[in-house]
Amino acid sequence: MIRAYRFVRIAIVCLLCANLAAAARAAGTGAAFPAADPESVGIPPRALQLLAERAQSMVDNQEIVGGELVVIKNRRTVFREAYGWKDREARRPLEADAVYCVRSMTKPLVGTAIQMLIEEGKLRLDTPVREILPFFSGPHTGKITVEHLLTHSGGFPFMTIGKPLSEYADLAAVAAEAAATELLFEPGTGFEYSDAGSDTLGAIVAQITGAPVERFIRQRILDPLGMQDTITLLGNDEATLARIPSAYSGGTGSWTKHWEPSDAPIFPLFLTSQSLYSTTTDYARFLTLWMDDGRVGERRLISAEAVERALAPSRRIDDSPQGFEGLEAYYGQQWVIHAKPVEEGSPQRVVFGHSGSDGTHAWAWPELDLMVLFFTQSRGTLAGVGLEGVLQTLLVEQALDDPSLAARAAGAEQLEQVAGLYWDETNAGAYYVITPRGNGLTFERPGRAYLVFKVGETPDRYVHELNPEVAIEFVRSEEGAVTAMRTVFGGRTETGPRHVPREGLPSPQEVAALVRQAHGVDKLHEIGAVRMSGKLVAETRKIEGTITNLFDATRLRSDVELGPGRQTIVATGGRAWSRATTTGLEQLDGTLEEQVLLSHPAVRLGDWTEHYEQVEVLKRVKRRDGHSLLMLRVVPREAPGSTMFVDEQSGRLLRTEGLVQVPGVGIVGLRTDYGDFRDVGGMKLAFREAATFATPLIGRVVTQIEQVETGVEVAADVFSLPAEAGE
């Protein structure tokens, strides 16, 4: 009987604990910002309906994989909805109150920590960093102050981390590497958004407090604000991991999963530039601290003076897109400020907040007591910037009849009418490809650009998803047929005719046979495996390395060492995998897998009609040396199409122009020039390849082969898929 009583008592205690946990959970998601009817706080329900339609269209048009949108007015939640996928491949929908990696939205928290130390007299804005971190004693870095770090005016490049994060002992080691980096400009004379500066701020906090910076942030900021769902270092807590969506990178219409909760954490140490995980509710708690001049309830965490100086527009951001009309973007002290320019004096602050590169955004309008949080797991999306103008129109101006808000959706027939290939009137060897996507269009310039356009306000006009001044228009004949495309870029207008197949050109089969004969890749079946090794130079990034390609008639292995990074790619049996120092081992699929398979010499220089779904000979282009180039467009099953330029006299492939999917960056233009052709076992292969990526993040990369072996004896497991990659 006593045992039974004890059992019942234990059960009651368990139930009470469960109820308390549920209550705490409810407090974490809603008690701070209880739900309210939008009209009760002055927001028309129609505004939120239009906002919901815009959010849903982001998923429908593949601008994001999934996202959560929250509107808080007068500290009341008037809108909270999740859209799209938590994991697209597993078809698991995203749920509200998820935990997101907010990346650069970490920066305002370390900025808050610095403000606290300033108020305690342990720092000054003009304190030289060298006084706290002695390794900042170089002739230039010795001039960097705390204020320079807060305002991104220290001269650091965007990123200085040069090896896997697991190789850094602590944040001080990250800061030390930044201190050894050549500065872009004299401290205080310019602006360059830099993760290195924010990580150095974290190292300063750790040095002054004698404890890891994440402990200070937890004890002094997160706990007092009740931010219990915010995480500095991701562990193996199953309940937390279950709330984190899989992470994707790329861009509109081209998303690739690069991390899921079952993977190892991305950050083995807490980077104060980008490592925080949080929820929309928790981050709204943090915003209210700054909306309330540094108070949380009756308790003051930071002074009103600190709030004012941190939120004062300091450095104008000229190269970052923003969607608020009539406002200009500035950086304060670890905050982004949107301000109204004035004739005299400082710009007038209207909105403050921050965004994160994984697709998270937070905006606060102090004068309106309004906060909007838009969190996605889609790294590389521009959807948040595009949402800014919508928020301004719907929630701030409440201009519900604004024509830009009209639900404009082109019919499938209209989109199909304009789809196709159009020539560039200024370049005989260039063209554009228009493809329907959702209720808009994609615009491809092989080798150069991939853009997304939405329906404009006039017939046959489409505007860029972020900049309505960038547009494309279609010209029709009197009979209504589309005959040309007009591009309006930067005030410059050009008109290019629609492609019409030309007569007198060789067939795709004839050109493919010409290329195969010229390069002789069919001999791979006779000579066995080939190993080609040489130098790899990333000229734009000023990094050198090595590359080794091993291939036979059907299989490929590529080993690259570039700076501190290493990557191995293997393609065999119609599948591909990659092992890199930054991402570990992963099975490639979709576009990434197809790109690897198409890079095999037997495919790139083989029968294109066998390996591509569409092959068309477009035209002949005369070169200055009198040779003619045959220009072909090849389109695979999943990856974007490319242009092949073949010397009609020799049959050699001299250049390709296309678009490639780059993890973490998105779809990028790529032009590759092939030269220095030499004999390799009866084949003619290029010993020099110059690849130019249409993004300064990569730039120009040159490969020069120095050693070649044929008939290489290959170990049985060199091309095999490791078991960890999946079968």
Side-chain angles (χ1 to χ4, degrees):
M1 184 67 182
I2 294 176
R3 289 181 181 176
Y5 172 74
R6 287 178 177 173
F7 180 83
V8 171
R9 185 172 61 181
I10 292 171
I12 291 173
V13 171
C14 290
L15 286 172
L16 286 173
C17 290
N19 289 336
L20 288 171
R25 179 83 170 146
T29 59
F33 309 104
D37 182 83
E39 288 184 304
S40 69
V41 294
I43 293 182
R46 174 64 176 159
L48 298 180
Q49 179 185 344
L50 292 171
L51 186 59
E53 292 173 359
R54 175 69 186 106
Q56 182 60 53
S57 73
M58 294 179 187
V59 176
D60 296 341
N61 296 334
Q62 299 180 50
E63 297 175 61
I64 60 174
V65 177
E68 181 177 345
L69 180 61
V70 180
V71 179
I72 301 172
K73 170 68 173 171
N74 297 349
R75 313 303 161 94
R76 298 292 187 268
T77 303
V78 296
F79 185 89
R80 178 187 294 275
E81 195 69 55
Y83 300 87
W85 303 105
K86 178 180 182 180
D87 189 292
R88 185 182 59 182
E89 290 72 19
R91 310 306 287 177
R92 289 199 296 268
L94 185 66
E95 298 176 349
D97 198 40
V99 177
Y100 299 82
C101 181
V102 298
R103 288 282 185 169
S104 285
M105 290 171 66
T106 311
K107 291 179 172 71
L109 279 92
V110 74
T112 303
I114 290 292
Q115 298 295 344
M116 290 175 169
L117 294 178
I118 289 174
E119 292 184 334
E120 293 172 4
K122 298 175 180 177
L123 275 179
R124 303 182 314 276
L125 287 177
D126 63 355
T127 297
V129 176
R130 69 174 185 273
E131 293 185 6
I132 312 299
L133 304 174
F135 44 77
F136 270 83
S137 298
H140 299 290
T141 57
K143 301 176 184 178
I144 297 175
T145 67
V146 170
E147 185 173 12
H148 292 151
L149 299 180
L150 286 169
T151 58
H152 295 285
S153 56
F156 290 120
F158 169 64
M159 183 176 67
T160 58
I161 290 176
K163 56 187 177 183
L165 290 177
S166 58
E167 296 184 19
Y168 293 91
D170 51 27
L171 202 52
V174 175
E177 188 168 37
T181 302
E182 182 179 354
L183 299 182
L184 300 178
F185 50 80
E186 188 77 7
T189 64
F191 173 86
E192 181 72 21
Y193 184 83
S194 171
D195 286 348
S198 297
D199 287 330
T200 301
L201 289 173
I204 288 174
V205 174
Q207 180 65 28
I208 289 176
T209 62
V213 62
E214 56 265 29
R215 184 182 303 175
F216 184 93
I217 288 175
R218 168 59 63 189
Q219 295 176 348
R220 298 288 300 275
I221 303 172
L222 303 182
D223 286 347
L225 290 172
M227 297 173 65
Q228 299 305 310
D229 288 331
T230 298
I231 302 152
T232 52
L233 279 172
L234 192 62
N236 56 5
D237 179 69
E238 293 183 2
T240 298
L241 293 173
R243 297 172 61 191
I244 302 176
S246 297
Y248 294 80
S249 56
T252 300
S254 60
W255 298 110
T256 301
K257 187 197 300 186
H258 66 258
W259 183 87
E260 57 187 354
S262 60
D263 294 338
I266 297 174
F267 303 104
L269 76 160
F270 182 57
L271 297 178
T272 44
S273 63
Q274 58 185 298
S275 294
L276 198 73
Y277 282 78
S278 191
T279 64
T280 53
T281 298
D282 264 12
Y283 210 87
R285 286 185 167 97
F286 179 59
L287 290 179
T288 60
L289 171 68
W290 290 81
M291 297 249 289
D292 292 338
D293 289 330
R295 290 184 178 274
V296 51
E298 297 300 319
R299 180 181 178 184
R300 178 169 291 284
L301 296 188
I302 52 177
S303 69
E305 292 76 16
V307 171
E308 186 57 35
R309 67 172 173 256
L311 295 182
S314 174
R315 301 279 176 168
R316 183 171 171 177
I317 307 173
D318 293 321
D319 58 352
S320 179
Q322 68 103 15
F324 294 120
E325 186 175 353
L327 304 182
E328 296 175 342
Y330 291 82
Y331 212 87
Q333 294 181 4
Q334 299 293 282
W335 284 106
V336 174
I337 317 297
H338 299 275
K340 182 183 299 183
V342 295
E343 292 185 3
E344 297 182 3
S346 300
Q348 180 182 347
R349 180 178 67 243
V350 177
V351 187
F352 75 88
H354 215 289
S355 62
S357 60
D358 273 12
T360 54
H361 301 261
W363 303 274
W365 289 258
E367 296 300 319
L368 300 176
D369 199 356
L370 172 67
M371 295 180 285
V372 178
L373 300 103
F374 177 56
F375 284 13
T376 86
Q377 85 288 44
S378 308
R379 183 174 180 80
T381 182
L382 298 174
V385 178
L387 189 64
E388 290 178 340
V390 178
L391 296 175
Q392 183 179 31
T393 302
L394 289 175
L395 303 181
V396 177
E397 301 170 355
Q398 296 188 9
L400 306 187
D401 295 327
D402 190 308
S404 67
L405 296 173
R408 301 182 303 269
E413 181 180 354
Q414 178 184 342
L415 297 175
E416 289 296 339
Q417 286 177 359
V418 302
L421 187 152
Y422 298 82
W423 290 101
D424 182 343
E425 66 174 350
T426 65
N427 186 337
Y431 60 86
Y432 308 103
V433 180
I434 301 298
T435 306
R437 186 192 60 80
N439 61 357
L441 300 169
T442 60
F443 172 101
E444 298 179 33
R445 168 71 181 271
R448 294 287 185 86
Y450 175 88
L451 305 174
V452 178
F453 287 79
K454 58 186 180 180
V455 181
E457 296 181 21
T458 58
D460 283 331
R461 179 180 173 86
Y462 298 78
V463 296
H464 186 257
E465 59 181 344
L466 285 181
N467 185 357
E469 295 182 1
V470 175
I472 52 178
E473 301 170 342
F474 295 92
V475 180
R476 294 180 182 266
S477 66
E478 293 182 358
E479 293 76 21
V482 177
T483 59
M485 180 180 70
R486 183 181 299 117
T487 58
V488 183
F489 290 178
R492 180 179 178 181
T493 301
E494 297 177 0
T495 301
R498 190 168 195 167
H499 169 63
V500 177
R502 305 189 179 193
E503 297 181 354
L505 296 172
S507 69
Q509 291 78 10
E510 290 172 328
V511 178
L514 180 67
V515 171
R516 290 172 64 188
Q517 181 179 1
H519 291 281
V521 290
D522 292 343
K523 296 184 183 296
L524 274 172
H525 292 282
E526 304 172 10
I527 64 177
V530 177
R531 179 183 288 120
M532 303 179 71
S533 305
K535 292 192 305 183
L536 190 67
V537 180
E539 295 181 346
T540 305
R541 300 290 300 274
K542 298 180 180 180
I543 305 174
E544 295 187 3
T546 61
I547 183 171
T548 298
N549 291 325
L550 178 67
F551 55 91
D552 58 17
T554 60
R555 301 174 297 180
L556 168 70
R557 178 187 177 109
S558 180
D559 292 281
V560 175
E561 293 189 14
L562 190 60
R566 295 175 176 83
Q567 183 175 27
T568 296
I569 294 177
V570 167
T572 181
R575 301 172 66 185
W577 59 270
S578 167
R579 179 188 283 116
T581 51
T582 54
T583 59
L585 180 69
E586 58 181 339
Q587 173 76 47
L588 303 181
D589 58 12
T591 298
L592 292 177
E593 179 183 64
E594 191 171 50
Q595 287 176 178
V596 171
L597 297 177
L598 293 175
S599 69
H600 192 293
V603 176
R604 180 160 46 88
L605 303 172
D607 188 350
W608 297 334
T609 62
E610 177 184 346
H611 300 291
Y612 292 89
E613 289 195 341
Q614 175 188 336
V615 181
E616 181 182 2
V617 184
L618 298 177
K619 64 160 53 174
R620 280 190 179 90
V621 180
K622 287 292 185 181
R623 297 203 316 180
R624 294 179 180 177
D625 60 5
H627 283 223
S628 62
L629 294 180
L630 291 170
M631 184 177 177
L632 295 87
R633 176 164 175 79
V634 296
V635 182
R637 180 173 54 88
E638 292 193 35
S642 299
T643 311
M644 306 290 201
F645 292 88
V646 177
D647 186 310
E648 192 168 14
Q649 282 67 41
S650 68
R652 291 179 182 172
L653 176 65
L654 300 183
R655 186 169 78 239
T656 61
E657 294 180 355
L659 300 167
V660 293
Q661 174 80 42
V662 179
V665 178
I667 297 179
V668 175
L670 171 62
R671 167 177 167 160
T672 305
D673 292 283
Y674 304 97
D676 190 12
F677 290 93
R678 303 185 197 177
D679 183 85
V680 178
M683 300 183 294
K684 287 291 184 181
L685 301 181
F687 273 50
R688 179 181 173 84
E689 296 183 10
T692 305
F693 293 83
T695 170
L697 294 174
I698 307 174
R700 180 178 162 91
V701 180
V702 177
T703 301
Q704 182 65 54
I705 298 299
E706 298 175 330
Q707 293 181 328
V708 176
E709 302 171 73
T710 59
V712 177
E713 292 188 10
V714 179
D717 61 347
V718 169
F719 293 112
S720 63
L721 279 170
E724 310 96 286
E727 295 297 333

